[in-house]
Amino acid sequence: MATVHYFASIREKLGLSTEQLELPSQVDTVNALVALLIEQHGSSWEEVLKKSSVLVAVNQSVVSFTSPVTNGDEVAFFPPVTGG
Amino acid sequence: MRSLKISIQEQDFSIDDECAVMRAVHKDIGALATFTGLVRELDDENSSQQSVSSLYLEHYPGMTEKNLQEIAEEADLRWPILDIVIIHRIGELKVSEQIVFVGVSSMHREAAFAACAFIMDFLKTKAAFWKKSITENQERWVEAKNSDAKATEKWAETKHKR
C-alpha cells in the first residue's frame, strides 16, 4: 500500500485529504500513479493533478513526476508553498 | 549551530519570551536578530477588493519540520550562528495576529541579520505551508509570488561559506 496525501487547494478541489492504495507493479513512477488516480477517481481529477504548477513529494522530499514510487511510500500532491 | 528550536503550533507566541530565553541561556551572544510576520489587512493581489479578515494556514506534518531543519542547517553552513528559533503558527489567524517568528543569535550582528533574512526567504519558498485568505464573502488560496522566488534565488549568488 502507498499513502497519498493532498494539501491546500488540491485537497479542496479533490475533496480528499488522504487515501491508501495498492500500487500494481506497473505503477512505478509518479506519472503512472497520477494516471492510476485519474482512472480510479474520474476525469475531474485530471485537470487538478495535471496542472503544471502541482508539486509532488515522495517520502517527504520534493521530486519530479518521473521519479519512482513503490508500495510503502508516502506521496503528497500540493500547490506551490505560501507560508510565512 | 548550538541549538535549534522549531515549533509549528496553533497557539500564539511571545517575542519577549523567546528573546529572553535566547539571552538567558548563553553569555556569549552579542547579537540577536528577529523577524515577526503578521496578518496584514490589505492583500497586495486583491487591494481593490475587500479587506482580509483572517488567514488560514495549513502545513504538511513531518515534511514541514524537515524543510525548516534543512533551511536552518543551510544557514548554519553560511554564517557563524549560535542559536536559531523558528516558530510558525497554523490554523485560522485574524488581522494583526502573529504568524511567524525567526530569531537568530550570533556573536556579531552581520551573521544574525543575514541568517534571519535567509531563513525567512527560504521559509516562504521551500517550507510546506499554504495560506488561504478569507474576506467577508470569499475565501481564496494565496498564489506563490514571483518576488519571493527571486528573493530566494538571490542567495545563490551571494553564497559564501564561512
Side-chain angles (χ1 to χ4, degrees):
Chain A
M1 300 281 268
T3 304
V4 186
H5 298 298
Y6 307 99
F7 289 100
S9 54
I10 293 179
R11 171 175 53 74
E12 285 192 349
K13 283 179 195 153
L14 301 178
L16 190 64
S17 60
T18 189
E19 65 181 315
Q20 289 203 308
L21 71 168
E22 189 67 34
L23 303 183
S25 57
Q26 72 273 19
V27 176
D28 56 1
T29 64
V30 175
N31 276 324
L33 171 62
V34 169
L36 177 70
L37 291 167
I38 292 166
E39 187 188 309
Q40 289 191 352
H41 291 282
S43 57
S44 64
W45 278 47
E46 185 160 0
E47 60 181 305
V48 180
L49 291 181
K50 292 260 177 139
K51 209 174 158 192
S52 62
S53 58
V54 172
L55 300 172
V56 62
V58 174
N59 299 324
Q60 303 190 351
S61 292
V62 174
V63 295
S64 76
F65 279 70
T66 54
S67 294
V69 286
T70 184
N71 283 305
D73 282 348
E74 176 182 318
V75 183
F77 294 97
F78 45 83
V81 302
T82 55
Chain B
M1 177 166 51
R2 183 170 54 195
S3 76
L4 169 62
K5 170 182 161 179
I6 291 170
S7 178
I8 297 168
Q9 59 189 49
E10 287 188 15
Q11 69 269 30
D12 200 8
F13 52 82
S14 157
I15 302 172
D16 287 351
D17 290 354
E18 296 304 328
C19 293
V21 170
M22 293 178 89
R23 280 169 42 215
V25 176
H26 300 289
K27 294 197 169 21
D28 52 0
I29 292 172
L32 171 54
T34 71
F35 172 82
T36 310
L38 307 175
V39 180
R40 185 180 51 228
E41 186 179 37
L42 287 178
D43 187 334
D44 352 298
E45 293 151 53
N46 204 13
S47 52
S48 58
Q49 297 176 35
Q50 283 199 312
S51 317
V52 171
S53 58
S54 61
L55 293 179
Y56 171 78
L57 266 297
E58 176 175 327
H59 80 303
Y60 179 176
M63 183 167 155
T64 314
E65 290 85 347
K66 201 173 108 178
N67 297 149
L68 296 175
Q69 170 99 31
E70 286 166 0
I71 292 166
E73 283 167 3
E74 179 60 31
D76 185 51
L77 289 174
R78 290 174 174 239
W79 296 282
I81 292 166
L82 293 170
D83 310 294
I84 299 179
V85 174
I86 304 174
I87 303 172
H88 202 298
R89 293 177 69 200
I90 51 168
E92 190 169 346
L93 303 175
K94 304 228 175 289
V95 169
S96 302
E97 281 200 74
Q98 305 184 120
I99 307 172
V100 59
F101 173 84
V102 174
V104 180
S105 70
S106 56
M107 288 181 74
H108 304 286
R109 71 184 182 284
E110 188 198 10
F113 272 136
C116 188
F118 174 94
I119 290 168
M120 269 314 300
D121 285 346
F122 277 75
L123 182 152
K124 290 198 77 102
T125 53
K126 304 289 178 197
F129 290 103
W130 300 275
K131 190 187 275 164
K132 185 196 257 184
S133 102
I134 300 163
T135 65
E136 201 176 310
N137 50 22
Q138 71 158 353
E139 294 188 357
R140 186 180 59 84
W141 287 99
V142 174
E143 303 263 332
K145 285 186 203 148
N146 198 29
S147 57
D148 286 334
K150 287 219 164 75
T152 303
E153 282 164 22
K154 79 172 189 271
W155 290 104
E157 298 151 23
T158 60
K159 187 158 186 167
H160 64 284
K161 296 271 181 188
R162 68 179 168 116

